[in-house]
Amino acid sequence: MLRITVDIDGMACAMCEFHVNEAIRKALPVKKVTSSHGKGCAQVFAEREISRGELERALAGTGYRVTGWRAEPAKKGLLGWR
């Protein structure tokens, strides 16, 4: 399992987080996705690496822009994936 952190420009509220999460879920094979407008990023958990280009295409036309991307193995914590 990989944790992909995506820096996203343009999120301003909880509804923005919802739109980002839905766009990623609909376009890509992810296990979990959560976004934070306060941190300006999304955490994506997936079985395979998802490229920055794939994420940019998933968000194309939504008004949000990918400004950074990094992937690392996900670690299982006491409260689930983190």
Side-chain angles (χ1 to χ4, degrees):
M1 179 79 65
L2 292 172
R3 178 176 69 174
I4 302 153
T5 303
V6 187
D7 298 321
I8 300 173
D9 184 47
M11 290 191 293
C13 64
M15 188 55 71
C16 295
E17 296 170 357
F18 175 80
H19 289 147
V20 166
N21 293 346
E22 284 300 299
I24 292 171
R25 277 189 198 111
K26 287 180 180 179
L28 300 166
V30 300
K31 295 288 185 183
K32 181 179 178 180
V33 60
T34 60
S35 299
S36 168
H37 71 279
K39 294 179 182 178
C41 69
Q43 298 285 313
V44 178
F45 294 87
E47 293 293 335
R48 68 164 180 87
E49 186 171 304
I50 295 172
S51 72
R52 179 177 175 150
E54 289 175 293
L55 290 158
E56 288 171 344
R57 286 188 291 281
L59 294 177
T62 63
Y64 308 105
R65 187 172 63 90
V66 174
T67 59
W69 170 96
R70 60 198 167 280
E72 62 188 338
K75 295 181 178 146
K76 185 78 168 172
L78 293 176
L79 301 176
W81 294 104
R82 56 183 176 123

